[in-house]
Amino acid sequence: MTVIDLNIWQLGMAAMLVVLLAACTWYARLGLGKSLLIAAARTAIQLSLIGLVLEALFSVARLHWVALMAVIMLLLAGREVMARQRYRLSGGWAFGIGTLSMFVSSFAVTLLTLLVIIGPDPWYTPQYAIPLLGMMLGNTMTGVALGLDRLTESVWRQRALIENRLMLGQPWQEAIGDIRREAMRGGMIPTINAMAAAGIVSLPGMMTGQILAGSPPALAVKYQILIMFTICVGTGFGTMAAVLSGSRRLFDQRERLRMDRIRRMH
Amino acid sequence: MRQFGAVADRPGYRTVSRRSLQWCEFTTWPAALMPSTLPDTAARSSSLSGSAALHLQDVAIGTLTQVTAHIAAGEILCLSGTSGSGKSRLLRAIADLDPHGGEIHLGDHIQGKMPGHSWRREVMLVPAETQWWHDTVAEHLGPAMDEQALQQALTALGFAPDTLHWQVSRLSSGEKQRLALLRAISHRPGALLLDEPTANLDGDTTLRTEQWLQDTVRYHALPTLWVAHDPAQIARVADRHMHIEGHRLVQQP
């Protein structure tokens, strides 16, 4: 099966459709036209650049270049986790806890998948390692960001309740237990919902892309199942690690709730 | 488990009972509320720890510095001061909810030498605005009081016998405040810190609650720091009274 190559004019026609939509939103005075066009331009530029990077990376296929790429992806994801929180742990902890949780869960699951399950040769073959890690980080990032955001916002709103529980002699884990559980659930539910809806409500993007690129659907489905499972595991453990360490940071060694360790962002 | 002996043997109890008598002179109380009708020794098996003094040495928090005070077992020390003078923050420091300076002892227990939650289980703060998280009142209570003791306390506080099964969402702020006092006692504290415990109560209920608190504090020999702003209330309940002036606590006559 051959893949039909896309040339610049074919992409240009799709771009014209976006311009048409922008014109319509401008006519309907939605105030979206500008941001729509900027976002479309960013998609084109960012994806072209990453395409160049991947082309270069695939051609050298050296471990240290793959590792460097992985670290850059991780740091960008950590920054994104921090940026999405309205109430942040102060002193770099928002970035640190998010990044470390994603590192532990995403990297561990990706390594496990590469070494044990897929087994390309060498194991760091960028064609497998980078897309896998990318999918993993992208989803874990959402879970970690949702979980931490839910945690810090609930603590901010329910400070009096947590402290009243402390006053009655509850250990900190018990005083914040309900909030911590809710935060973990909030981080993990989107992934669970995505697994439940896969194939019925939506055809997952990765599978669609693979089929478009000429893979037999049966093979694409197998990869998609693998990806969904690993994403779920990565997101789950990442969210739990982030919420656990985040909640620990909110209390000091005397088990006091330290509101001075949360900053409200405007 | 620490056992709890006869209250009348404890230093401080006789001196404070004078207050109870004085109080009884100007109003009549149902017999069930009188200290003499408190549960007998047999019913005290699940009683509270109590009987140790609370001592503050050079405590510093916020604008308050070098706060030194000694509250004997079963003694009520009333604390007053203008808004923002740091009364509530001092209570929070004693309960170890905020970082602070100085040393605080409850009998042989030293605040910094035991885990935070163990200290707060002993030195229990009841805040002015109480919070509830389970559905019913009963789910919040600790194990220290048996059914009989709970019913007696409910009666003394002016509640119906089925109050423990009420939904928390339907409680008024005054009901919450009184039930929070019961909740604190049901967790077997060794000392009480009360932040305006009658702020949301009407006149009669205030008197009733004061009486129950006085009886309970004496019965269990709890050193009690009571933040109050009403001079009449302080006159009724206080064994001693201290006022915050500037950065210090000053003993009132």
Side-chain angles (χ1 to χ4, degrees):
Chain A
M1 209 188 297
T2 55
V3 183
I4 304 165
D5 195 10
L6 289 176
N7 63 37
I8 191 87
W9 301 110
Q10 287 162 314
L11 287 179
M13 274 191 274
M16 285 309 293
L17 291 175
V18 176
V19 173
L20 182 68
L21 175 66
C24 288
T25 59
W26 176 78
Y27 187 69
R29 285 182 293 176
L30 298 185
L32 279 176
K34 197 175 162 193
S35 51
L36 176 65
L37 288 178
I38 290 176
R42 282 189 62 168
T43 295
I45 295 168
Q46 288 166 195
L47 289 182
S48 302
L49 287 177
I50 200 69
L52 290 177
V53 171
L54 289 180
E55 292 260 3
L57 196 62
F58 285 14
S59 63
V60 290
R62 297 285 292 276
L63 178 58
H64 57 266
W65 287 112
V66 176
L68 178 68
M69 181 73 186
V71 168
I72 292 173
M73 286 162 74
L74 175 69
L75 293 180
L76 288 175
R79 197 189 142 275
E80 187 65 23
V81 163
M82 187 180 68
R84 285 190 198 176
Q85 289 170 56
R86 286 158 291 176
Y87 301 88
R88 278 182 210 166
L89 291 171
S90 58
W93 286 86
F95 180 79
I97 285 177
T99 309
L100 196 67
S101 315
M102 284 190 295
F103 173 72
V104 169
S105 70
S106 296
F107 278 55
V109 176
T110 305
L111 276 182
L112 197 74
T113 312
L114 284 173
L115 288 170
V116 181
I117 303 179
I118 304 180
D121 182 40
W123 63 268
Y124 53 86
T125 306
Q127 183 198 344
Y128 290 91
I130 295 298
L132 207 57
L133 183 65
M135 303 271 297
M136 198 72 71
L137 275 178
N139 286 276
T140 309
M141 179 181 82
T142 308
V144 167
L146 278 175
L148 280 179
D149 188 47
R150 180 79 68 91
L151 175 76
T152 48
E153 190 186 340
S154 304
V155 168
W156 187 276
R157 296 195 191 292
Q158 300 186 45
R159 171 189 183 172
L161 191 141
I162 299 170
E163 292 208 312
N164 206 162
R165 298 183 76 146
L166 291 177
M167 287 169 201
L168 286 165
Q170 294 187 357
W172 69 272
Q173 297 96 327
E174 199 180 333
I176 201 173
D178 292 342
I179 289 172
R180 201 158 68 172
R181 273 188 291 278
E182 276 309 306
M184 287 181 187
R185 285 167 51 86
M188 289 168 74
I189 280 176
T191 317
I192 295 173
N193 287 347
M195 282 206 298
I200 303 174
V201 185
S202 63
L203 285 181
M206 191 211 82
M207 189 178 96
T208 317
Q210 223 179 341
I211 293 173
L212 277 177
S215 295
L219 178 64
V221 162
K222 279 190 275 186
Y223 265 94
Q224 187 64 47
I225 293 174
L226 175 71
I227 289 289
M228 292 291 245
F229 284 178
T230 50
I231 280 177
C232 173
V233 173
T235 308
F237 284 126
T239 307
M240 288 170 80
V243 172
L244 279 178
S245 41
S247 62
R248 180 72 194 86
R249 174 64 194 158
L250 290 170
F251 294 85
D252 64 15
Q253 81 284 0
R254 300 291 308 150
E255 301 183 52
R256 305 173 184 126
L257 179 63
R258 296 293 294 268
M259 294 305 286
D260 55 326
R261 294 180 179 176
I262 301 184
R263 256 182 324 140
R264 184 180 185 164
M265 309 309 291
H266 297 286
Chain B
M1 185 182 298
R2 275 166 296 171
Q3 281 297 320
F4 174 63
V7 175
D9 296 338
R10 295 179 190 289
Y13 185 77
R14 281 181 208 286
T15 58
V16 295
S17 63
R18 171 183 53 83
R19 289 281 179 176
S20 297
L21 290 174
Q22 183 185 6
W23 153 242
C24 292
E25 282 165 15
F26 62 86
T27 184
T28 313
W29 277 89
L33 298 183
M34 295 300 291
S36 57
T37 62
L38 281 164
D40 60 19
T41 321
R44 287 181 203 164
S45 54
S46 63
S47 189
L48 311 181
S49 40
S51 80
L54 185 65
H55 185 74
L56 318 182
Q57 187 67 48
D58 295 330
V59 174
I61 181 161
T63 56
L64 290 175
T65 52
Q66 294 184 323
V67 174
T68 296
H70 187 88
I71 310 170
E75 182 188 32
I76 295 178
L77 174 59
C78 272
L79 182 63
S80 60
T82 52
S83 303
S85 58
K87 306 183 293 281
S88 298
R89 289 202 70 185
L90 180 60
L91 294 195
R92 288 176 60 89
I94 300 171
D96 207 3
L97 286 163
D98 285 327
H100 58 88
E103 272 206 13
I104 302 175
H105 299 239
L106 176 68
D108 299 335
H109 296 312
I110 302 171
Q111 188 188 56
K113 296 275 162 62
M114 59 199 289
H117 71 270
S118 309
W119 173 262
R120 287 187 281 268
R121 192 166 288 161
E122 291 293 330
V123 181
M124 196 164 285
L125 170 55
V126 183
E129 291 292 329
T130 65
Q131 304 287 326
W132 302 76
W133 47 94
H134 294 304
D135 289 338
T136 66
V137 176
E139 289 169 273
H140 293 83
L141 298 181
M145 294 168 85
D146 59 18
E147 188 60 31
Q148 188 195 358
L150 281 173
Q151 288 303 332
Q152 278 178 335
L154 286 175
T155 312
L157 285 167
F159 282 105
D162 68 338
T163 307
L164 297 184
H165 305 294
W166 287 2
Q167 294 289 311
V168 165
S169 54
R170 295 169 64 184
L171 296 175
S172 73
S173 56
E175 286 167 337
K176 279 184 188 163
Q177 196 164 26
R178 280 179 290 157
L179 288 169
L181 297 168
L182 178 60
R183 174 174 70 177
I185 296 298
S186 77
H187 281 87
R188 191 195 296 266
L192 271 185
L193 309 170
L194 307 174
D195 196 353
E196 302 194 19
T198 62
N200 296 316
L201 308 182
D202 63 39
D204 278 352
T205 320
T206 298
L207 296 181
R208 215 173 235 272
T209 307
E210 283 173 5
Q211 183 63 45
W212 180 75
L213 275 172
Q214 283 181 296
D215 293 345
T216 305
V217 164
R218 264 108 218 199
Y219 175 63
H220 298 303
L222 305 175
T224 300
L225 188 55
W226 181 323
V227 168
H229 55 76
D230 174 18
Q233 178 174 64
I234 294 171
R236 284 194 300 269
V237 303
D239 299 312
R240 266 192 305 146
H241 173 204
M242 291 183 114
H243 187 78
I244 295 180
E245 284 173 16
H247 307 302
R248 302 286 167 82
L249 260 58
V250 179
Q251 175 99 31
Q252 302 294 300

